[in-house]
Amino acid sequence: MVVLALINILLANYTELKFRVFDNFPKKKLLKGRTKFFRIPNLNSDIRLSRKFKFAKEHAKIKISLKRYLIMPFEPEKFVEKKISEIQKLIKGKAVIACSGGVDSTTAAVLTSKAIGSRLTAVFVDTGYLRKNEPENVKELLKGLQLNPRFVDAKEEFYEALKGVVDPEKKRMIIGEKFIRVFEREAKKEKTEYLVQGTIAPDWIESGGALRDTIKSHHNVGGLPKEMKLKIIEPLRDLYKDEIRKLARYLKIPVSEKQPYPGPGLAIRIIGEATPEATDIVREACAIVEEEIENAVKNKKMGKPWQYFAVLLPVKTVGVQGDVRAYGNTIAIRAVHSIDGMTAEYSKIPNEVLEKISVKITNTLRDKVNRVVYDITNKPPGTIEWE
């Protein structure tokens, strides 16, 4: 009754609401008109919201999360205490964790390490689809956090597995399975059956299942093979990105503000076959986008986007280099503002910054890229990553 009363108060005062989608949210409207159903976790009944509302289109508009504000606010210290106890009960003996060096997996690693200490091994896999200097940076990070790191060079395995593959869902599925096979090998060395992952709520929401449509299969959810020899532990499964950052700050993790980076890496920033040659192109373009945007933020020319990168398109266009005809690839720049990744708004990057990025990309990759475009699509309708 208390929850229902709170909902009525909120609906009476706000018309622009954004509700996070939970596991049991219906794929299609159950009733025509203005009525929608939501299931609140830990409650036994659906709650019908009869007042008309619309989803917030901008990240700065009022956002109300039923789970967070009507059940309880997120408190990192209580979450850590609870999860340490849960992890200790779940994991008997050793465990390995898939750790990419991103905020999700690193936070999961630090949290799990607090629970089981040196029995945890953090496995970092170089897939060949990492950003420029990423392997070196992650090695330094994991060593500094004393997470008992192990580094696996699996570039040739991933390149071979993705040879000839152009469909984005197939890419994600293949990458997900390949990751598991690598972790199975590493877990066998440690004589453990437990694999910890930094899965968060948007991962399983977008991966579909039950009544949810599949937006894209995240490698650590929809990409998991049906047959595997590991028991998956996901301590951050119910958290959203803004909550993860709060938790990372509480745990004093250096990468708490690091921009999101997809598990499949540059393979899904190449539209088409993710060949080593195409990967080299988009890796350099991503590095330029990151460097120039971060310089512009430092010089107070713009606010820092939530995520920013480059995409290699399967489109070649005619250009001119000096007095010579050129026929090169096209790079798309993507930068968005968001809170939790569930919705996003494209960043209004100043034209002078976009021009600087374009000139640097075409000069650096002059024999490979001769056109640069900027993506001004919000989410929805477009996802943040192109694949």
Side-chain angles (χ1 to χ4, degrees):
M1 293 301 294
V2 174
V3 173
L4 289 173
L6 285 170
I7 289 175
N8 287 330
I9 291 171
L10 289 169
L11 290 176
N13 287 280
Y14 298 104
T15 56
E16 288 186 335
L17 305 179
K18 174 191 165 189
F19 290 97
R20 285 176 168 162
V21 185
F22 296 106
D23 196 24
N24 293 332
F25 181 74
K27 181 177 174 182
K28 297 181 179 179
K29 291 181 181 179
L30 297 180
L31 293 176
K32 292 182 179 179
R34 298 185 298 178
T35 302
K36 291 177 183 285
F37 282 80
F38 294 82
R39 182 179 294 280
I40 299 179
N42 304 321
L43 295 184
N44 294 323
S45 60
D46 288 329
I47 292 177
R48 188 171 68 179
L49 306 178
S50 298
R51 178 178 287 260
K52 183 179 181 180
F53 66 91
K54 62 181 179 180
F55 289 96
K57 292 183 179 180
E58 300 177 8
H59 72 285
K61 289 184 179 180
I62 295 170
K63 179 179 68 172
I64 298 173
S65 166
L66 290 177
K67 180 180 178 183
R68 182 183 303 178
Y69 295 108
L70 297 184
I71 305 300
M72 64 176 63
F74 179 67
E75 298 176 283
E77 60 278 9
K78 290 185 179 179
F79 180 85
V80 169
E81 183 180 350
K82 177 185 175 184
K83 284 297 173 181
I84 285 177
S85 177
E86 288 181 3
I87 292 168
Q88 288 173 337
K89 291 176 182 176
L90 283 171
I91 299 177
K92 306 300 180 184
K94 294 182 178 181
V96 296
I97 182 165
C99 195
S100 66
V103 62
D104 301 342
S105 62
T106 306
T107 302
V110 171
L111 180 61
T112 306
S113 179
K114 284 184 174 295
I116 65 172
S118 61
R119 289 186 284 137
L120 179 70
T121 298
V123 180
F124 171 75
V125 181
D126 186 349
T127 63
Y129 294 108
L130 300 175
R131 290 176 292 189
K132 194 172 184 178
N133 301 322
E134 190 87 354
E136 294 77 14
N137 293 338
V138 174
K139 286 178 182 179
E140 185 177 344
L141 170 70
L142 298 186
K143 287 178 180 177
L145 291 171
Q146 298 181 328
L147 290 173
N148 190 23
R150 177 175 296 166
F151 306 104
V152 180
D153 185 347
K155 291 191 287 289
E156 294 307 318
E157 286 185 61
F158 279 81
Y159 287 152
E160 184 63 31
L162 290 174
K163 189 174 291 185
V165 180
V166 297
D167 180 79
E169 274 296 290
K170 286 184 179 178
K171 283 185 189 178
R172 288 175 172 273
M173 293 295 186
I174 290 170
I175 290 169
E177 179 174 9
K178 185 57 63 177
F179 265 125
I180 289 297
R181 301 313 173 205
V182 172
F183 293 132
E184 283 178 339
R185 293 201 304 261
E186 298 307 312
K188 187 176 181 180
K189 293 176 185 177
E190 293 297 319
K191 298 180 180 179
T192 180
E193 59 182 352
Y194 298 104
L195 171 65
V196 184
Q197 293 193 145
T199 308
I200 65 175
D203 296 342
W204 56 262
I205 289 172
E206 292 188 332
S207 293
L211 294 172
R212 300 187 314 277
D213 194 14
T214 300
I215 307 302
K216 54 185 179 183
S217 295
H218 287 252
H219 73 288
N220 55 346
V221 182
L224 294 178
K226 292 181 180 179
E227 295 183 7
M228 50 191 291
K229 301 173 183 178
L230 298 169
K231 293 180 180 178
I232 304 295
I233 308 292
E234 298 173 321
L236 309 180
R237 181 180 174 83
D238 295 326
L239 300 188
Y240 290 79
K241 184 64 84 172
D242 50 327
E243 295 168 324
I244 295 291
R245 293 198 192 282
K246 288 180 182 177
L247 180 59
R249 292 180 201 121
Y250 174 75
L251 294 171
K252 295 181 171 52
I253 296 173
V255 293
S256 61
E257 311 309 312
K258 187 177 182 180
Q259 69 156 315
Y261 186 66
L266 298 176
I268 58 169
R269 292 181 179 175
I270 299 166
I271 312 304
E273 185 179 356
T275 64
E277 295 75 22
T279 305
D280 288 341
I281 294 172
V282 78
R283 180 183 289 116
E284 188 62 39
C286 274
I288 292 169
V289 169
E290 290 180 9
E291 181 183 4
E292 292 305 322
I293 286 181
E294 287 164 10
N295 285 340
V297 171
K298 184 179 180 180
N299 294 326
K300 298 182 179 180
K301 294 181 179 180
M302 59 178 285
K304 188 175 182 179
W306 191 73
Q307 193 172 0
Y308 43 102
F309 54 90
V311 181
L312 177 62
L313 307 185
V315 176
K316 285 193 170 185
T317 64
V318 174
V320 178
Q321 292 180 355
D323 295 327
V324 180
R325 178 186 186 273
Y327 191 57
N329 294 293
T330 303
I331 287 287
I333 302 168
R334 180 70 160 150
V336 299
H337 289 295
S338 183
I339 294 174
D340 53 18
M342 296 302 294
T343 61
E345 180 187 58
Y346 82 89
S347 299
K348 278 71 174 179
I349 299 178
N351 286 339
E352 62 177 294
V353 178
L354 287 173
E355 181 181 12
K356 195 170 183 179
I357 293 171
S358 175
V359 170
K360 192 167 183 179
I361 287 175
T362 51
N363 282 344
T364 303
L365 297 166
R366 59 181 297 120
D367 60 330
K368 299 179 179 69
V369 176
N370 67 349
R371 194 171 301 274
V372 178
V373 298
Y374 185 49
D375 182 355
I376 59 170
T377 313
N378 295 334
K379 176 185 179 180
T383 54
I384 296 174
E385 296 286 349
W386 279 41
E387 287 193 345

